[in-house]
């Protein structure tokens, strides 16, 4: 414990406090000896970095709990990395910077549950650079991260249905998964075009002036 505290630049008393608050995982024990490793050191350095960024210990504890109970990167990526998306590796403090203080334990747990995030040792892995960039851009526009993640869950439901629809369409004539892979750009083009048209309709609905009644007309007055 003394060696770990010295490496992390904190006091043993602070380290004990972090252990009591469950901010770091318990050590590996061999009899009466407790062994700490690089994982504990990385966590302590993360805590220090997050404190410097203005996070509270309660918030860090929530992050730590979500982080410790999240799926690992092998489970996140399944049998292999996405064929078109580029995973991104981040430290917990880098993730906090990306989302401007909104990387709370609750939001991190929601992203883990969605399958956006996984853990790999002391790092966090986001499944898609594009999704990460879009989420961060929406947060910068003032949309709360919690709302972005709620919308993402609904988008996931719709895209799963669209993927099933296109898969059924393509494989109906004894085609193979290779054909599905070859034709997937067509599915993406259809979805992109339809979404673009739908957004156009929403914009027109909000831009068209509402019809107004002529001034001085009393619809309830009897006609002569």
């Amino acid at each position: 414990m003394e060696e770990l505290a010295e490496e992390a630049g904190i006091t043993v008393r602070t380290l004990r406090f972090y252990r009591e608050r469950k901010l770091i995982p318990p050590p590996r024990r061999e009899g009466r000896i407790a062994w700490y490793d690089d994982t504990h050191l990385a966590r302590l350095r993360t805590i220090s970095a997050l404190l410097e960024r203005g996070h509270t210990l309660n918030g860090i504890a929530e992050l730590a709990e979500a982080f410790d109970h999240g799926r690992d990167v092998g489970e996140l990526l399944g049998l292999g990395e996405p064929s078109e998306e580029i995973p991104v590796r981040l430290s917990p403090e880098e993730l906090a910077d990306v989302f401007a203080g909104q990387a709370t334990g609750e939001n991190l747990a929601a992203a883990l549950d969605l399958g956006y995030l996984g853990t790999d040792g002391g790092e966090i892995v986001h499944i898609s650079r594009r999704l990460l960039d879009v989420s961060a851009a929406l947060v910068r526009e003032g949309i709360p991260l919690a709302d972005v993640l709620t919308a993402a869950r609904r988008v996931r439901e719709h895209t799963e249905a669209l993927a099933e629809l296109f898969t059924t369409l393509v494989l109906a004539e004894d085609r193979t998964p290779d054909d599905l892979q070859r034709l997937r750009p067509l599915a993406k083009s259809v979805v992109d075009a339809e979404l673009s048209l739908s957004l156009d309709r929403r914009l027109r609905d909000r831009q068209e002036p509402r019809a107004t009644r002529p001034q001085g007309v009393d619809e309830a007055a009897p006609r002569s």
Side-chain angles (χ1 to χ4, degrees):
M1 182 176 288
E2 288 80 4
E3 293 173 357
L4 177 63
E6 183 178 358
E7 285 288 332
I10 61 177
T11 66
V12 173
R13 181 179 180 181
T14 298
L15 178 55
R16 291 185 189 277
F17 175 73
Y18 288 166
R19 277 190 53 184
E20 292 170 359
R21 294 289 299 272
K22 297 182 179 180
L23 293 172
I24 63 173
R28 177 175 58 86
R29 291 195 172 276
E30 292 183 2
R32 300 182 61 182
I33 302 176
W35 294 100
Y36 295 91
D37 56 26
D38 289 341
T39 301
H40 296 91
L41 181 59
R43 176 63 63 85
L44 290 172
R45 288 174 174 167
T46 293
I47 292 171
S48 297
L50 292 174
L51 286 172
E52 290 177 359
R53 287 163 168 77
H55 288 258
T56 65
L57 283 177
N58 285 337
I60 295 172
E62 292 177 356
L63 287 172
E65 182 179 4
F67 187 77
D68 290 338
H69 291 86
R71 66 183 70 181
D72 62 33
V73 67
E75 182 184 357
L76 175 69
L77 298 177
L79 298 178
E81 294 190 357
S83 58
E84 294 182 295
E85 300 306 308
I86 301 173
V88 184
R89 291 180 176 272
L90 301 155
S91 68
E93 51 268 42
E94 287 173 334
L95 186 68
D97 287 344
V98 167
F99 291 112
Q102 294 192 46
T104 62
E106 184 178 0
N107 286 338
L108 179 57
L112 288 164
D113 185 56
L114 264 171
Y116 278 5
L117 299 178
T119 60
D120 186 15
E123 288 185 312
I124 295 174
V125 179
H126 196 291
I127 193 69
S128 166
R129 163 63 71 182
R130 289 196 295 178
L131 287 174
L132 176 64
D133 290 346
V134 169
S135 299
L138 290 171
V139 170
R140 288 195 299 270
E141 290 293 329
I143 302 174
L145 180 57
D147 292 346
V148 172
L149 293 170
T150 298
R153 188 174 297 280
R154 295 187 62 189
V155 169
R156 172 72 57 80
E157 294 171 357
H158 291 297
T159 54
E160 287 288 349
L162 289 169
E164 180 62 28
L165 176 65
F166 189 76
T167 299
T168 301
L169 175 68
V170 170
L171 299 183
E173 300 296 332
D174 295 326
R175 296 186 181 90
T176 68
D178 288 338
D179 295 312
L180 181 62
Q181 175 68 11
R182 178 173 56 84
L183 296 175
R184 66 186 291 170
L186 300 181
K188 293 168 59 180
S189 294
V190 170
V191 173
D192 184 64
E194 285 288 356
L195 179 59
S196 179
L197 292 170
S198 294
L199 288 172
D200 287 343
R201 288 190 286 271
R202 297 304 183 280
L203 286 170
R204 283 196 298 270
D205 290 343
R206 283 158 176 74
Q207 290 173 350
E208 290 177 356
R210 294 182 180 180
T212 58
R213 292 182 301 176
Q215 294 294 324
V217 176
D218 186 356
E219 293 182 347
R223 296 182 180 178
S224 57

